[in-house]
């Protein structure tokens, strides 16, 4: 372990390892962080909390050298520090475990942990024995017995991969260890073990900064928490001195007001258009059942990465070997490929419009007419006049801002790109629309256009499934909201129960008394497969 | 532990054993000293070219200039080798240097030019072939007997060609792959972003890998020179695509990050011998290409069937 300086430098509080002041960062005009402060003391475990988009991840990326701040200063043990990149930050004692795993799947556990600083002999040969011993020593120190240093990463479970990622950071003996959603793949027991391990580290003087959405799981393990909201630092509190309610209150802050169109009234006798029965499979869909009626918007909520994306992909046929049944209009459909889903009348507005939604180098016209080409063709040839007429109609209907329909999709703004994705499917004769976070990274005006569009779709008798990371959209648009946790539906909220408090509380797994009486009806969780 | 990494070579090993068993059944003479020597000489150039290809493929690239470098180094060696031991040693070193520099040039364009490896090496393929033609406009040249003998002869049942391959694999390839550079080559091919995050110098790793690829291609050129005792600027052409085939057949991922030397070497012998086997079993020369390709496809499909177990087609498409 590197020696930890105990004498504080000028102007720094004793025992403070990291001090970030006035950190600002914006991406393409959107403020991810504005003048945020953050202080981490030596040897403490510090959790960063905040709703989606609060700026936690941006802060972590700045502290670990991935992003450079637009403004603000960072001091480590009183000395001002700037990081040119992750390697530089690591050299200065800040090691980070990222959400996106940075492991090498075909290399061994030991090779991954020691990469870049392997012990070598006189001829540059890696001393494998020494390397194994070092890794074993790291494991033993922290009581890990089940990991084989020689195992290949490709053979490990996701949870073990995360452990390897953590050890990879630890092997450089950092003074500050940052875990970005380090527990998202871990089960309860594994989280406990990880925190035991972190506690040992903290005792030896290493500071740990930790991002997690699972507040209820981690509270008992952390010393302090900093709460962020809309890119600003709200407060830092001792974990033992704050109740769940107070924290949720701080995370939410004042309400965001946004105008939503009048919701479509679903006829009382409307039949379910999409029915999902005990659907399991993919990487984490666990016994999901729900239905959507004609004219209805059903929201899928929960913390990020709880299986919402997988569920939409599964409904669109991206996964094979699903168990359970999916019925459209009462008839069971066999899904398994996107083209079969399209035939059954299901379309997906995917998560990443750039890779899954559009073909960026191709023109606006081609992107819009792709999915419906046979319609304006004759004997297999596209009739350009008909195609152009259709594209023009779509551009007008969705008010896409383009110079010409021949310009490449790449040159459009995010909001207009998203409109193209929707235009592509709008006239494909589909009745069921799955939206994956459709308004992410889009300006408010365009967002409103999407709200209108979704409402219009329901007025035409279509069914909409909406996953969004913005609770206001769930409240403003949805007839019902289903909350997912770890691949399963845990709570259903309807009507007036759809409030931000209820959604957040249900997402965090808190049993919180809602102002409206009930906190929604719990959905039976199926047994794990 | 050893087997984990080497099991990717299994398809090639089983295929070669089956092929040799069938060959032996058709032509028992292959187990004689002469037969073994012929087998060994037939496949060694491609085995060395496969190593050249493999090290580039491990980084996630592909080297279309492997064959051109084999041809270029073949011309350099056959043209300048002379007769005395001193000049032979000097020219061998010169030839290895030429190959290494040619590979390094590929690497520089890939790393700093950020150009697709397939295009960079397609362009240098023409350049290197052109230089080979300047050195040796017509096939010809000569090498001293002792040089040819040292590489292609045999000691009883042990062909020197096998010794050459083993020496290159165990004394050059393996030690290099066991340095930090070796790990970095795998890491860069496996997850370039992760490698960058892990403080690996990605560009330097790429350049080193391509330079080493040039070095191994020069080894192939030197062996080819001993085998044919002459230089020919066009002789290398077949080694480019066959080396890619050997590498994939030998269990490496074209996307990079996975593969060991054993599989591609074994696969190189398989690919080189198959023509003789077809000849021995009386397949008309007109059908030989069809059989050769067909057999490769069948073997690869068997070897790859496991990929299709994935649950998500996106994962299959991206693998």
């Amino acid at each position: 372990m590197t020696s930890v300086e105990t004498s504080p430098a000028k102007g720094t509080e004793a025992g403070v390892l990291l001090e970030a002041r006035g950190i600002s960062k914006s991406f393409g005009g959107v403020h991810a962080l504005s003048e945020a402060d953050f202080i981490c003391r030596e040897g403490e475990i510090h959790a960063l909390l905040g709703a989606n988009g609060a700026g936690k991840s941006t802060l972590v990326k700045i502290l670990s050298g991935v992003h450079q701040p637009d403004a603000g200063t960072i001091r480590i043990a009183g000395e001002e520090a700037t990081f040119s990149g992750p390697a530089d930050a690591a050299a200065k004692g800040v090691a980070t475990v990222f959400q996106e795993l940075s492991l090498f799947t075909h290399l061994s556990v030991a090779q991954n942990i020691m990469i870049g600083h392997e012990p070598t002999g006189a001829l540059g040969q890696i001393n494998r024995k020494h390397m194994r011993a070092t890794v074993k020593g790291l494991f033993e120190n922290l009581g890990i017995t089940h990991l084989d240093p020689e195992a290949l990463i490709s053979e490990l479970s996701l949870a073990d991969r995360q452990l390897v990622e953590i050890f990879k950071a630890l092997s450089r003996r950092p003074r500050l260890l940052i875990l970005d959603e380090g527990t998202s793949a871990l089960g309860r027991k594994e989280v406990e073990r990880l925190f035991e391990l972190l506690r040992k580290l903290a005792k030896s003087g290493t500071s740990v900064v930790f991002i997690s959405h699972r507040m209820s799981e981690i509270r008992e393990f952390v010393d302090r928490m900093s709460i962020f909201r809309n890119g600003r630092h709200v407060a830092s509190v001792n974990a033992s001195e704050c109740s769940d309610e107070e924290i949720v209150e701080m995370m939410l802050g004042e309400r965001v007001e946004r105008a939503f169109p009048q919701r479509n009234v679903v006829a009382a006798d409307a039949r379910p258009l999409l029915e999902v029965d005990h659907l399991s499979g993919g990487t984490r869909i666990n016994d999901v059942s729900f239905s959507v009626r004609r004219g209805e918007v059903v929201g899928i909520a929960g913390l990020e990465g709880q299986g919402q994306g997988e569920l939409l992909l599964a409904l669109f046929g991206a996964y094979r070997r699903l168990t359970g049944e999916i019925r459209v209009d009462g008839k069971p459909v066999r899904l398994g490929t996107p083209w079969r889903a399209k035939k059954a009348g299901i379309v997906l507005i995917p998560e990443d419009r750039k890779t899954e939604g559009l073909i960026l180098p191709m023109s606006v016209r081609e992107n819009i007419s792709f999915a419906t080409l046979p319609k304006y063709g004759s004997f297999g040839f596209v009739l350009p006049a008909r195609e152009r007429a259709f594209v023009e109609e779509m551009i007008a209907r969705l008010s896409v801002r383009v110079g010409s329909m021949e310009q490449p999709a790449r040159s459009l703004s995010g909001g207009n790109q998203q409109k193209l994705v929707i235009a592509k499917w709008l006239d494909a004769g589909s009745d069921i629309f799955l939206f994956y976070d459709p308004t992410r990274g889009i300006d408010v005006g365009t967002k409103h256009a999407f709200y209108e569009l979704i409402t219009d779709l329901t007025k035409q008798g279509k069914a909409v499934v909406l996953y969004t990371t913005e609770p206001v959209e769930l409240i403003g648009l949805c007839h019902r909201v289903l909350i997912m946790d770890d691949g399963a539906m845990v709570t259903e909220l309807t009507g007036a129960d759809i409030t931000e408090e209820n959604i957040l509380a249900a997402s965090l797994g808190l049993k919180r008394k809602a102002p409206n009486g009930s906190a929604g009806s719990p959905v039976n969780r199926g047994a794990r497969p | 532990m050893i087997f984990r990494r080497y099991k990717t070579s299994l398809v090639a090993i089983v295929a070669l054993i089956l092929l040799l068993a069938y060959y032996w059944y058709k032509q028992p003479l292959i187990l004689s000293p002469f037969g073994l020597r012929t087998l060994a000489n037939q496949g060694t150039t491609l085995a060395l070219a496969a190593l050249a290809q493999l090290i580039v493929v491990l980084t996630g690239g592909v080297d279309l200039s492997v064959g051109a470098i084999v041809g270029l180094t073949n011309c350099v060696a056959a043209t300048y080798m002379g007769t005395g031991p001193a000049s032979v040693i000097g020219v061998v070193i010169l030839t290895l240097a030429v190959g290494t520099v040619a590979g390094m040039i590929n690497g520089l364009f890939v790393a700093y030019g950020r150009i697709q490896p397939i295009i960079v090496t397609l362009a240098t393929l023409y350049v290197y072939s052109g230089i080979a033609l300047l050195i040796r406009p017509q096939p010809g040249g000569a090498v001293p007997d002792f040089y040819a003998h040292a590489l292609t002869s045999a000691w009883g049942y042990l062909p020197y060609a096998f010794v050459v391959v083993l020496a290159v694999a165990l004394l050059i390839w393996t030690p290099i792959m066991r340095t930090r550079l070796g790990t970095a080559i795998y890491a860069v091919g496996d997850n370039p972003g992760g490698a960058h995050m892990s403080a690996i110098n990605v560009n330097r790793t790429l350049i080193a890998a391509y330079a080493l690829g040039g070095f191994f291609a020069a080894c192939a050129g030197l062996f080819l020179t001993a085998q044919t005792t002459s230089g020919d600027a066009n002789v290398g052409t077949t080694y480019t695509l066959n080396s890619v085939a050997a590498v994939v057949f030998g269990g490496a991922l074209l996307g990079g990050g996975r593969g060991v030397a054993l599989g591609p070497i074994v696969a190189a012998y398989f690919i080189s011998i198959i023509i003789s086997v077809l000849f021995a079993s009386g397949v008309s020369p007109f059908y030989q290409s069809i059989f050769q390709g067909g057999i490769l496809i069948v073997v690869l499909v068997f070897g790859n069937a496991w990929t299709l177990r994935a649950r998500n087609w996106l994962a299959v498409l991206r693998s």
Side-chain angles (χ1 to χ4, degrees):
Chain A
M1 190 65 38
T2 32
S3 68
V4 176
E5 291 175 40
T6 42
S7 56
K10 251 187 288 174
T12 308
E13 203 186 322
V16 168
L17 175 66
L18 178 119
E19 183 182 5
R21 291 269 175 218
I23 305 285
S24 296
K25 178 78 187 173
S26 49
F27 298 99
V30 180
H31 292 284
L33 268 184
S34 17
E35 294 175 23
D37 296 333
F38 176 67
I39 287 175
C40 180
R41 298 180 187 148
E42 276 166 10
E44 74 174 358
I45 301 183
H46 197 130
L48 300 182
L49 297 173
N52 298 329
K56 306 168 305 239
S57 282
T58 310
L59 178 67
V60 159
K61 288 203 163 120
I62 286 170
L63 295 182
S64 57
V66 174
H67 293 319
Q68 275 66 48
D70 299 336
T73 54
I74 299 170
R75 287 167 180 277
I76 293 180
E79 272 176 54
E80 198 161 329
T82 51
F83 305 136
S84 62
D88 189 27
K92 287 170 182 160
V94 181
T96 309
V97 178
F98 289 102
Q99 229 168 324
E100 318 88 52
L101 299 175
S102 70
L103 298 181
F104 310 104
T105 46
H106 304 299
L107 294 181
S108 73
V109 168
Q111 280 177 308
N112 268 281
I113 289 175
M114 299 299 290
I115 191 143
H117 57 114
E118 299 96 337
T120 50
L123 291 168
Q125 309 298 98
I126 290 172
N127 187 335
R128 294 181 172 193
K129 237 187 196 166
H130 188 169
M131 187 163 93
R132 259 198 304 275
T134 310
V135 170
K136 278 219 170 99
L138 275 174
F139 286 174
E140 271 163 25
N141 266 346
L142 298 166
I144 302 288
T145 50
H146 70 290
L147 270 181
D148 172 10
E150 289 304 316
L152 300 183
I153 297 299
S154 54
E155 304 165 344
L156 300 186
S157 69
L158 203 51
D160 281 345
R161 288 185 197 200
Q162 265 186 344
L163 269 184
V164 173
E165 189 93 28
I166 290 164
F167 275 103
K168 188 174 160 190
L170 284 181
S171 71
R172 292 181 182 264
R173 304 193 173 283
R175 302 165 74 177
L176 174 65
L177 177 73
I178 304 177
L179 293 129
D180 186 354
E181 307 260 0
T183 59
S184 56
L186 304 182
R188 170 83 200 178
K189 254 184 111 169
E190 288 152 323
V191 170
E192 273 173 28
R193 205 162 58 192
L194 172 65
F195 272 94
E196 258 171 47
L197 187 155
L198 295 179
R199 179 57 60 200
K200 282 186 196 169
L201 273 176
K203 277 214 177 99
S204 64
T206 308
S207 306
V208 179
V209 170
F210 196 90
I211 293 188
S212 176
H213 284 305
R214 305 193 172 193
M215 192 176 71
S216 58
E217 280 188 9
I218 61 157
R219 272 203 60 179
E220 53 193 285
F221 301 109
V222 303
D223 300 319
R224 284 172 69 74
M225 308 196 220
S226 287
I227 292 110
F228 287 80
R229 185 176 68 231
N230 297 333
R232 286 173 192 280
H233 173 240
V234 181
S236 288
V237 295
N238 288 329
S240 51
E241 293 166 7
C242 218
S243 69
D244 282 355
E245 282 80 5
E246 286 171 301
I247 291 165
V248 169
E249 211 56 53
M250 282 191 275
M251 284 165 72
L252 285 175
E254 68 279 21
R255 299 297 122 92
V256 187
E257 293 303 329
R258 208 178 285 166
F260 285 94
Q262 187 67 39
R263 249 173 293 204
N264 174 45
V265 180
V266 183
D269 61 341
R271 279 178 302 129
L273 186 55
L274 173 70
E275 291 165 280
V276 177
D277 254 353
H278 301 289
L279 187 72
S280 292
T283 40
R284 62 187 312 181
I285 303 165
N286 181 9
D287 196 22
V288 168
S289 301
F290 71 98
S291 68
V292 190
R293 292 182 293 168
R294 280 191 184 278
E296 195 179 30
V297 182
V298 170
I300 309 283
L303 302 171
E304 273 177 82
Q306 297 304 314
Q308 300 97 332
E310 285 87 348
L311 176 62
L312 294 193
L313 279 172
L315 293 177
F316 191 54
Y319 293 109
R320 305 190 299 168
R321 291 169 209 215
L322 296 164
T323 58
E325 193 174 59
I326 299 171
R327 288 187 299 275
V328 173
D329 225 355
K331 286 187 282 285
V333 287
R334 196 177 141 241
L335 303 177
T337 62
W339 52 264
R340 222 178 263 148
K342 180 189 159 194
K343 231 175 146 188
I346 302 175
V347 297
L348 170 71
I349 315 303
E351 174 183 19
D352 188 351
R353 53 183 166 259
K354 289 183 196 305
T355 60
E356 289 160 10
L358 294 173
I359 302 177
L360 287 179
M362 291 177 78
S363 70
V364 168
R365 171 179 57 79
E366 286 163 310
N367 270 295
I368 290 183
S369 64
F370 240 164
T372 43
L373 270 184
K375 276 192 166 178
Y376 14 87
S378 171
F379 297 105
F381 290 95
V382 175
L383 296 177
R386 258 201 253 173
E387 185 196 359
R388 295 181 71 84
F390 168 76
V391 172
E392 260 163 29
E393 184 200 322
M394 279 299 158
I395 288 176
R397 197 157 136 200
L398 294 173
S399 40
V400 188
R401 275 208 302 266
V402 287
S404 126
M405 67 168 73
E406 296 305 327
Q407 79 185 79
R410 173 182 289 132
S411 61
L412 268 53
S413 72
N416 281 308
Q417 286 183 349
Q418 190 68 285
K419 284 180 179 175
L420 291 193
V421 182
I422 293 171
K424 172 167 88 171
W425 293 117
L426 209 50
D427 216 25
S430 305
D431 279 340
I432 300 165
F433 284 77
L434 315 174
F435 285 92
Y436 192 112
D437 213 0
T439 61
R440 192 183 43 175
I442 286 176
D443 64 277
V444 179
T446 314
K447 276 183 181 175
H448 193 78
F450 277 109
Y451 303 152
E452 299 265 354
L453 181 94
I454 288 173
T455 311
D456 280 352
L457 286 173
T458 54
K459 284 186 176 142
Q460 294 162 28
K462 317 249 187 215
V464 173
V465 179
L466 171 70
Y467 167 63
T468 167
T469 47
E470 288 200 60
V472 280
E473 294 184 349
L474 295 169
I475 298 162
L477 292 168
C478 296
H479 298 90
R480 283 184 292 141
V481 172
L482 304 165
I483 285 120
M484 285 187 82
D485 184 21
D486 201 13
M489 295 284 182
V490 288
T491 310
E492 175 174 337
L493 300 170
T494 49
D497 279 340
I498 308 178
T499 64
E500 242 181 292
E501 288 89 346
N502 283 345
I503 292 170
L504 190 63
S507 304
L508 293 169
L510 301 178
K511 289 189 183 63
R512 189 158 179 276
K513 209 171 153 8
N516 300 310
S518 75
S521 51
V523 175
N524 281 337
R525 283 184 77 147
R528 281 189 161 279
Chain B
M1 158 248 157
I2 296 288
F3 295 112
R4 285 202 185 111
R5 251 163 256 260
Y6 286 85
K7 75 178 175 203
T8 53
S9 308
L10 206 63
V11 178
I13 293 171
V14 171
L16 183 65
I17 289 172
L18 291 178
L19 184 75
L20 285 178
Y22 177 73
Y23 196 10
W24 177 70
Y25 166 74
K26 284 279 173 195
Q27 179 53 275
L29 270 182
I30 62 156
L31 270 189
S32 68
F34 173 78
L36 277 176
R37 205 183 84 191
T38 315
L39 283 182
N41 287 343
Q42 234 171 1
T44 296
T45 307
L46 183 59
L48 294 171
L51 286 183
Q53 191 65 256
L54 176 61
I55 202 163
V56 169
V57 166
L58 284 179
T59 67
V62 67
D63 187 352
L64 294 187
S65 70
V66 162
I69 299 178
V70 171
L72 172 63
T73 50
N74 169 240
C75 289
V76 170
T79 306
Y80 303 115
M81 196 162 272
T83 50
S87 84
V88 168
I89 291 172
V91 169
V92 165
I93 293 171
L94 170 75
T95 308
L96 292 174
V98 166
T100 309
V101 169
M104 195 145 108
I105 291 170
N106 287 337
L108 284 169
F109 281 110
V110 170
Y112 291 111
R114 285 283 126 201
I115 309 168
Q116 297 276 327
I118 195 167
I119 295 304
V120 169
T121 54
L122 179 66
T124 56
L125 177 162
Y126 290 113
V127 175
Y128 299 153
S129 311
I131 298 174
L133 268 176
L134 286 180
I135 294 173
R136 185 138 281 293
Q138 281 95 35
V143 295
D145 279 347
F146 72 84
Y147 174 75
H149 190 77
L151 294 184
T152 60
S153 216
W155 185 68
Y157 279 94
L158 181 66
Y160 294 156
F162 281 152
V163 179
V164 169
V165 169
L166 280 179
V168 171
L170 296 180
L171 300 181
I172 303 175
W173 175 276
T174 306
I176 289 173
M177 294 323 274
R178 289 197 177 167
T179 59
R180 283 187 189 174
L181 172 65
T183 313
I185 286 173
Y186 281 97
V188 165
D190 196 316
N191 181 352
H196 174 68
M197 295 290 224
S198 310
I200 287 173
N201 188 331
V202 175
N203 281 346
R204 220 157 53 194
T205 307
L206 285 173
I207 293 166
Y210 280 87
L212 284 167
F215 175 85
F216 289 115
C219 291
L222 282 173
F223 184 86
L224 186 66
T225 312
Q227 200 189 349
T228 61
T229 65
S230 69
D232 180 349
N234 295 317
V235 75
T237 334
T238 59
Y239 294 106
T240 297
L241 291 183
N242 277 340
S243 67
V244 176
V247 162
V248 175
F249 186 7
L253 280 183
L254 266 188
R258 196 190 79 188
V260 289
L262 179 64
I265 290 175
V266 170
Y269 283 103
F270 179 94
I271 292 169
S272 308
I273 291 166
I274 203 165
I275 288 283
S276 315
V277 176
L278 289 173
F279 184 77
S281 45
V283 175
S284 148
F286 294 110
Y287 288 97
Q288 275 176 10
S289 293
I290 296 174
F291 270 90
Q292 197 184 1
I295 290 169
L296 264 183
I297 286 185
V298 169
V299 170
L300 285 174
V301 165
F302 270 102
N304 236 354
W306 61 270
T307 319
L308 301 176
R309 294 177 313 179
R311 285 163 180 273
N312 182 346
W313 260 105
L314 276 177
V316 176
L317 294 175
R318 280 168 189 164
S319 71

